[in-house]
Amino acid sequence: MSRSGFMIYGAYGYTGELIARRAVARGHRPLLAGRQRGPLEALARELGLPSVAVALQDSAALVSALERVEVVCHAAGPFVHTSERMVDACLTAQTSYVDITGELPVFARIFSLDEPARRRGVALLPGVGFDVVPSDCLARFVADAVPGATELDIAFATLGRPSGGTTKSSFQGLLRGTFVRREGELREITLGEGVIDVQFSDRKRSALPIPWGDLETAFRTTRIPNITTYMGVPSTTARLLSRALPYTSRFLPPVLRALSRPKVRGAVLSVIDAFVSDPDAREREAGGCFLWARARAADHRTCEAWLDTADGYAFTAQSAVLALEHVMQERPRGALTPAGAFGADFVLEVEGSVRYERLPAP
């Protein structure tokens, strides 16, 4: 069977549908796929696209579907539970893979498959959405300006609110702990430790260390051994977490262990499903994101830069389709990061992205 185009798996999910609509707007006719036949076929009829209903657990049917396309965009999370089956099927089918994850364990596993991917002649490229295209590209930009840099700080802040899927992934990430990278290794820290102030392009914000995907991706892209990733938070939240540190370090671990129990975790995820609504088109249009990165060398050479982007979901719909186009045109091979595959300027192809090498005038 000849191959053509790409598949979007999880196409009827919140972000998957945004990607599908963006792909159609750019003239593509992707194969839509997912587990639930009803919503999948409804979306396919609306967009006039082919579809295939297939569960990730049905490895033979999944491989057969993947053999129809050159590359798949995997948009069905949480990826820590779904990516392994899809990646393994892609290696079998010799189909390239991109996803929109931001989950550290997913990046780590996929990057460990670089050699098998090269042998099979495919690309494995996780994190082609807001997680982590803007931060990975900005990290490469400042790292390229400071050869031999030993420290990298990356921070982001958003104006929008998360979807239900993002909230569930964030919750499960919280259960795994908060990390930084030191001397090339991930090291766990206490939630609330290491808060700093960051001047973004619009204003100064408190920034809280969180386990963002760049602890894996920026490390792979830049090889800088000491990396901290931050999220902008209200100053009151930052102060509260800092003051609570003596108690957090003692009481948070047992709380997280309790929340990690399958029945408790399942109950929390059900509550998220019931009460967290997805941002609508008006909210996406009004949203926006701000990023900052700084690379430093032992001899005090430093470079910092800023990046403004569209709302994270609008950004992801664009960047995922652009990544699919690049993979089909350039045919990269191996386990790659976005900036590793496409360069630091890839983010500037996404509408609404502006990079600053010095702070813009107020």
Side-chain angles (χ1 to χ4, degrees):
M1 179 184 294
S2 62
R3 298 173 184 250
S4 64
F6 56 88
M7 172 196 292
I8 302 171
Y9 189 90
Y12 51 81
Y14 178 72
T15 309
E17 182 177 338
L18 293 177
I19 295 169
R21 293 185 183 279
R22 180 68 182 181
V24 170
R26 286 183 65 84
H28 299 289
R29 297 193 74 253
L31 173 63
L32 304 186
R35 180 174 56 88
Q36 299 182 46
R37 185 178 300 276
L40 175 66
E41 292 183 347
L43 180 63
R45 281 194 302 271
E46 179 188 346
L47 298 180
L49 297 174
S51 66
V52 56
V54 57
L56 293 172
Q57 293 80 1
D58 189 346
S59 57
L62 185 60
V63 168
S64 179
L66 288 167
E67 287 175 338
R68 298 167 58 178
V69 297
E70 297 177 49
V71 56
V72 62
C73 176
H74 182 47
F79 298 89
V80 70
H81 300 310
T82 65
S83 65
E84 184 171 347
R85 291 179 187 273
M86 180 61 81
V87 168
D88 290 350
C90 282
L91 290 173
T92 300
Q94 293 184 270
T95 298
S96 288
Y97 167 99
V98 306
D99 72 26
I100 54 171
T101 191
E103 300 162 49
L104 289 175
V106 177
F107 288 121
R109 179 179 187 270
I110 290 176
F111 293 153
S112 75
L113 297 173
D114 180 63
E115 184 180 344
R118 292 180 184 279
R119 283 202 312 268
R120 302 296 289 174
V122 300
L124 302 179
L125 212 170
V128 300
F130 184 77
D131 301 11
V132 292
V133 168
S135 47
D136 191 47
C137 289
L138 198 61
R140 178 165 181 178
F141 180 79
V142 296
D144 286 350
V146 187
T150 57
E151 297 179 37
L152 175 64
D153 296 313
I154 305 167
F156 73 96
T158 65
L159 298 180
R161 63 182 181 85
S163 68
T166 299
T167 303
K168 289 193 287 187
S169 291
S170 298
F171 167 68
Q172 298 200 82
L174 173 66
L175 298 181
R176 291 189 289 271
T178 301
F179 296 87
V180 295
R181 190 171 285 276
R182 295 293 180 264
E183 302 302 326
E185 302 294 329
L186 291 179
R187 179 169 73 82
E188 188 168 8
I189 63 172
T190 302
L191 181 66
E193 182 180 343
V195 172
I196 63 171
D197 289 330
V198 172
Q199 178 65 59
F200 292 94
S201 67
D202 65 331
R203 63 181 177 88
K204 185 177 288 187
R205 292 177 173 86
S206 297
L208 173 73
I210 65 163
W212 194 244
D214 285 274
L215 293 176
E216 291 289 353
T217 53
F219 178 62
R220 187 170 182 85
T221 299
T222 69
R223 307 314 297 180
I224 294 175
N226 301 293
I227 302 174
T228 307
T229 53
Y230 300 88
M231 179 176 68
V233 297
S235 57
T236 51
T237 301
R239 286 196 299 269
L240 179 62
L241 287 170
S242 296
R243 290 171 182 169
L245 266 175
Y247 309 99
T248 303
S249 58
R250 179 178 176 185
F251 295 111
L252 186 59
V255 171
L256 294 180
R257 285 195 297 271
L259 290 171
S260 297
R261 293 171 185 162
K263 287 186 178 180
V264 178
R265 185 177 69 246
V268 173
L269 295 175
S270 295
V271 169
I272 293 172
D273 281 331
F275 293 102
V276 179
S277 61
D278 296 326
D280 59 23
R282 180 183 55 80
E283 290 176 292
R284 292 195 301 273
E285 179 143 350
C289 301
F290 307 93
L291 295 99
W292 164 83
R294 178 178 61 197
R296 292 182 291 192
D299 60 6
H300 306 297
R301 287 176 297 118
T302 302
C303 176
E304 60 183 329
W306 296 261
L307 179 69
D308 297 350
T309 75
D311 163 81
Y313 296 103
F315 182 99
T316 294
Q318 292 190 58
S319 63
V321 175
L322 288 168
L324 288 162
E325 292 173 351
H326 276 275
V327 170
M328 290 188 295
Q329 292 164 6
E330 300 163 18
R331 302 186 183 280
R333 297 293 179 257
L336 305 161
T337 66
F342 310 133
D345 290 347
F346 173 59
V347 66
L348 302 181
E349 297 179 31
V350 181
E351 295 171 15
S353 297
V354 182
R355 187 176 63 210
Y356 307 98
E357 295 181 46
R358 57 182 57 84
L359 277 171

